[in-house]
């Protein structure tokens, strides 16, 4: 998330939640019906808390990306995406649901508001435990890029990567690897089971027979931002010596 987008997020999504919460708590202190306004306050608390976390997590992500931008990426070490980076997906959904829940509760239907809030929260929870574009962890091996998909792992040899590109705006950069001989990647799966082979095969997008395919790595894969991941892969492809762990 860029600085401009983060400021817009604070203005449009964070500030209204705190303003609304202050207004409702003031109304409660003035003696307005607690039966009506406490559910509204609860939704506003969930909205304000989740929105604040997302703002702080994105600020921490930017600092982390800046710190790692020119730092050496270790070889032979499994790099995982920290859980706190994944939670923003869930909490964005919670915040959106809580915002709609606030409206429903304010007009007198807190039960309906809860039902509305649970729908995006459920989708957000699913997003934490699923990766729409690819694996969330990886290892830079001497032989290639090792990717982890649930219980499976596979190896993409450096020699199989013929092109690497980045797509998307700042903060949401995706890495696209164009590879040859995708069957070699599928055959490298460990443990070698039919289910794991299917998982790796689904990872290979826009597959053209057995000759070419693409692999997409989403932002935060291995805990690395898009620019760092792009640099590290290009350095490994160029045959630069591995860095110190």
């Amino acid at each position: 998330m860029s600085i401009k987008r983060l400021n817009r997020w604070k203005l449009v999504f964070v500030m209204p939640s705190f303003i609304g919460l202050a207004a409702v708590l003031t109304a409660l202190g003035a003696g307005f019906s607690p039966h009506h306004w406490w559910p509204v306050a609860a939704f506003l608390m969930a909205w304000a808390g989740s929105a604040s976390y997302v703002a702080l997590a994105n600020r921490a992500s930017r600092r982390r990306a800046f710190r790692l931008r020119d730092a050496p990426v270790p070889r032979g070490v499994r790099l995982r995406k920290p859980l706190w980076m994944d939670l923003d997906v869930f909490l964005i959904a919670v915040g959106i649901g809580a915002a709609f829940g606030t409206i429903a509760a304010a007009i007198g239907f807190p039960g309906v508001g809860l039902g509305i809030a649970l729908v995006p929260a459920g989708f957000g929870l699913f997003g934490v435990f699923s990766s729409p574009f690819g694996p969330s962890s990886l290892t830079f091996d001497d032989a290639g890029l090792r990717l982890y998909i649930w219980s499976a792992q596979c190896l993409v040899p450096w020699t199989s990567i013929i092109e690497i590109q980045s797509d998307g705006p700042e903060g949401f950069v995706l890495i696209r690897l164009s590879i040859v001989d995708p069957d070699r990647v599928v055959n490298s799966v460990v443990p070698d089971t039919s289910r794991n082979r299917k998982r790796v095969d689904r990872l290979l997008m826009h597959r053209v027979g057995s000759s070419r395919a693409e692999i997409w790595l989403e932002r935060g894969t291995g805990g690395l931002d898009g620019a760092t991941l792009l640099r590290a892969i290009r350095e490994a492809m160029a045959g630069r010596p591995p860095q110190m762990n």
Side-chain angles (χ1 to χ4, degrees):
M1 186 178 289
S2 65
I3 295 176
K4 183 183 294 186
R5 188 169 299 171
L6 181 59
N7 290 335
R8 191 182 303 131
W9 168 267
K10 291 178 181 177
L11 181 64
V12 175
F13 204 65
V14 180
M15 292 301 295
S17 64
F18 280 97
I19 293 172
L21 181 59
V24 169
L25 292 178
T26 301
L28 285 167
F32 282 79
S33 171
H35 178 75
H36 178 83
W37 290 108
W38 269 120
V40 180
F43 281 113
L44 283 166
M45 289 177 188
W47 177 4
S50 57
S52 298
Y53 180 92
V54 172
L56 292 172
N58 277 279
R59 184 172 183 177
S61 294
R62 292 199 318 274
R63 289 183 175 180
R64 177 187 175 92
F66 181 79
R67 186 176 71 252
L68 297 177
R69 190 61 53 90
D70 298 314
V73 175
R75 296 287 182 89
V77 177
R78 183 172 178 177
L79 305 176
R80 304 171 187 266
K81 185 177 183 180
L83 180 60
W84 65 265
M85 293 181 69
D86 266 331
L87 282 179
D88 66 341
V89 175
F90 171 62
L91 290 175
I92 286 173
V94 169
I96 292 172
F100 284 107
T102 298
I103 297 171
I107 60 179
F109 300 99
V112 174
L114 180 61
I116 293 173
L118 288 176
V119 174
F123 281 108
L125 187 63
F126 174 78
V128 173
F129 296 102
S130 65
S131 183
F133 292 104
S136 60
S137 60
L138 51 80
T139 300
F140 285 83
D141 285 343
D142 291 338
L145 188 64
R146 189 168 299 278
L147 306 176
Y148 299 84
I149 309 98
W150 295 101
S151 61
Q153 59 177 281
C154 63
L155 182 71
V156 183
W158 301 123
T159 54
S160 294
I161 303 174
I162 58 174
E163 185 180 25
I164 175 172
Q165 293 184 338
S166 60
D167 294 293
E170 180 186 356
F172 293 89
V173 174
L174 301 174
I175 303 300
R176 178 171 62 86
L177 304 177
S178 297
I179 65 171
V180 294
D181 196 11
D183 286 340
R184 187 178 177 187
V185 177
V186 176
N187 292 334
S188 71
V189 67
V190 177
D192 189 359
T193 65
S194 58
R195 174 176 293 184
N196 287 340
R197 280 179 171 266
K198 288 179 181 178
R199 285 172 175 167
V200 173
D201 194 61
R202 285 195 296 267
L203 178 68
L204 302 167
M205 304 174 67
H206 307 295
R207 185 164 177 171
V208 181
S210 60
S211 59
R212 294 200 176 188
E214 292 180 354
I215 295 177
W216 288 79
L217 303 177
E218 62 178 334
R219 71 185 183 99
T221 301
L224 304 175
D225 72 294
T228 301
L229 189 57
L230 183 69
R231 170 183 61 82
I233 294 175
R234 282 178 171 166
E235 287 180 356
M237 290 172 58
R240 297 191 183 184
Q243 303 284 358
M244 294 289 291
N245 290 347

